[in-house]
Each structure stands twice: as C-alpha cells, then as structure tokens.
Amino acid sequence: MNRLQAMELFVSTVREGSFSAAGRRAGLSPASVSRYVGELEAQLGVQLINRSTRHLGLTEAGKIFFQRTEQVLHGIEEAEAAALALQSTPRGTLRVHSRTLFGIKVLSPLIPQFQKLYPELKVDLRLSERRVQLREEEFDIDFQIAAPKDPGLMQRRLLRSERILVASPDYVGRMPKLRGPDDLAGHNCLTYWMGPEDVVWKFMRKSRLREIIVPSSFNSNNGIILCDLAVRGHGIALLDDYTVADELQNGRLVRLLPDFRVTNSTFDEGIYATFQQSSHLPEKIRVFVDYMADSVPRQIKRSA
C-alpha cells in the first residue's frame, strides 16, 4: 500500500463526503478509494470512517487522524512549494477561480499571452459567483472583488474600481428622466441577487449617504445577464465600471447619475488576487499574480 496516497485519499474522502467524489477527483473507482482507506485502517488497527448507505461519518479516532493528516499533507505541499520555488521555469497546473464577469471580460483575454511566456504551465480557470475555499477545493488563486478577512490568506490588489448605474440609450430616451436616487421608484431596476432581503443601493455625494430600497423588476446572481438585459433596454443595472467599459465606449450603454458614488455593498471596491499564506510562495503563483498585476490595469485602460 502507498501510505501517502492512502492518506491523501482518506482526506479527500472526508472533504468530498463520499468515496465516489474522492475517486472522481483522483481518477480512481469508488471501490479503489474504499480499499485504500480500508488498508489504512487495517494498518493503523483502528476504524476511521463509519460507513452507512446514506453517508460517511468520522469516528473519534478518524476526526483526530483527519486533523493531523491534513497538517502533514499541508507540510508536504509546503516542502514541494519550497523546492519548486527554486526552479527557473514554472510548470505544472495552476488552478484559478474568478468571479464570472471579471474572468470573461478581463482574465480570459490575458491568458494566451501569459501562456506564451510560460508554455509549461497549464491554467485551469473556473468561474462562479461564490467565494471558494482555497485549500479545501485545491485552488491556487481566487480573484475576489473585496479584500479577504480570512486568516492564513494573502492578497494583492490588482486595481481599484467603482460600481456605476448604466442603461441603454433607448431606455433612457423612453423613460422618465433620472435626476436623483428617489427617481428610481419609477424605473425598472436590474439587480444583483444577494439574498432574500430587499435590494438596497447606497448613494454617496458630498459625504452624505443615502440608502434606497430599489424596485427590482429582474434579479440575477450573474452580472453578464444583467449587462445583457441593460444593453437590450430592459432597465437600469448597477455594475462594476471595468465590466461595462466596452459597452460605454461603443455607446450601447450610458452612465446615469455620475455625480453620485453608488454601491450595493461597500464603496471600497477593487479586484484582489487571493492565495494561501506560505513561507515559500510557489513560483507558478508568483508569476501569474505578477503578470496580472501588471496587465490588468493596462487591459482596463485600453477598454476605457
């Protein structure tokens, strides 16, 4: 039995919640994963997992072993990172997660040139609207729109940004003039889903803050859809400036209430590259973050 592999499969089984899911991640059958874990239990002389038809649960010994094994595997990753940091050519696979709209509008156009510079480095880019757990989900980097507060994480801000109100010229021409936040009551607002509560947009001008419950005619957790419907004249959307730069430049969208700062969360906006804190930052992470820190602002400026 490969003891290290058995430990890795045991930890993966606990994280994923089943032998099947752990097998899919490792490219093994559920039976093979179960056999490895069973052999590990036999070698230790203790049961680690309570197996049932409905779910897998850790025994008391399993909980202790899982915690210690995670630490051991993380130590091995640190050792590998320290060794890889010395190599002159980054190689391997870089697993990256990003918010959908930023990934499509900004990251995607930059990756081909990056891979020309580092042809031995494979990039695995996943997009979603959620915040991922880097270590548990085995991502190297997560691009977020706010600075993370989690201990053990490092971040680097790539750019500052702001959220702005936009609508199509057709919509602006046929709807009542928008002079201030209160006028939104007579408009169709395309809002980003942040939970079941009322949608609140915050407006700031001359240090005076106002919060408006906006009438939402359409709600989605995907900025691409909100942008598309705004371009089609369906209503007013609140989106990050860099995501609508092209649409503003070509006239498909216009900015509304430019004298106000506006947000649905915090006014301190930006894009942050987030990665695990490490005494030896893997070279593949360092070169990717450095490249994006240099390229993203220029990419945004070209689009503006």
Side-chain angles (χ1 to χ4, degrees), residues 169-189:
D170 172 70
Y171 178 88
V172 172
R174 60 184 165 82
M175 295 296 288
K177 185 174 179 61
L178 189 68
R179 297 181 176 85
D182 290 331
D183 293 334
L184 287 170
H187 283 265
N188 297 326
C189 294

Side-chain angles (χ1 to χ4, degrees), residues 63-265:
K63 292 177 182 178
I64 296 173
F65 190 74
F66 173 73
Q67 293 171 354
R68 299 292 178 87
T69 302
E70 264 200 322
Q71 295 172 4
V72 169
L73 294 178
H74 182 60
I76 293 173
E77 291 173 358
E78 287 273 294
E80 290 175 342
L84 290 172
L86 298 176
Q87 69 183 27
S88 58
T89 304
R91 54 174 56 87
T93 299
L94 184 72
R95 299 195 70 240
V96 180
H97 177 269
S98 170
R99 293 287 292 268
T100 304
L101 201 49
F102 179 77
I104 292 174
K105 291 275 191 173
V106 181
L107 283 184
S108 179
L110 295 174
I111 286 177
Q113 181 58 35
F114 173 79
Q115 292 197 289
K116 286 182 181 179
L117 296 174
Y118 303 101
E120 296 184 52
L121 191 56
K122 174 186 174 183
V123 178
D124 183 349
L125 176 62
R126 306 297 173 91
L127 306 178
S128 77
E129 298 302 298
R130 65 187 182 90
R131 177 169 291 188
V132 298
Q133 300 297 317
L134 289 173
R135 181 177 297 175
E136 290 80 356
E137 299 182 57
E138 299 180 356
F139 282 105
D140 296 301
I141 305 171
D142 184 19
F143 288 94
Q144 303 178 1
I145 61 173
K149 298 179 175 61
D150 311 55
L153 294 183
M154 300 178 66
Q155 71 276 338
R156 182 171 176 181
R157 181 157 61 183
L158 304 186
L159 77 153
R160 292 180 180 273
S161 65
E162 64 175 329
R163 291 195 172 105
I164 59 177
L165 293 179
V166 293
S168 70
D170 172 70
Y171 178 88
V172 172
R174 60 184 165 82
M175 295 296 288
K177 185 174 179 61
L178 189 68
R179 297 181 176 85
D182 290 331
D183 293 334
L184 287 170
H187 283 265
N188 297 326
C189 294
L190 313 173
T191 57
Y192 188 88
W193 187 86
M194 300 181 70
E197 299 81 12
D198 290 331
V199 177
V200 176
W201 287 352
K202 303 174 186 179
F203 293 83
M204 179 83 74
R205 186 168 67 171
K206 296 179 180 179
S207 300
R208 295 184 61 183
L209 175 66
R210 291 201 58 198
E211 296 187 356
I212 303 292
I213 297 178
V214 296
S216 176
S217 64
F218 180 84
N219 197 283
S220 175
N221 71 334
N222 190 297
I224 295 176
I225 294 175
L226 298 178
C227 181
D228 181 64
L229 289 182
V231 168
R232 294 174 184 273
H234 193 56
I236 298 172
L238 175 60
L239 295 166
D240 293 298
D241 53 0
Y242 59 85
T243 64
V244 293
D246 290 340
E247 286 75 13
L248 291 172
Q249 188 176 40
N250 60 34
R252 289 188 293 174
L253 291 175
V254 295
R255 183 174 181 177
L256 306 176
L257 301 182
D259 294 336
F260 288 86
R261 296 178 65 199
V262 56
T263 185
N264 58 355
S265 56

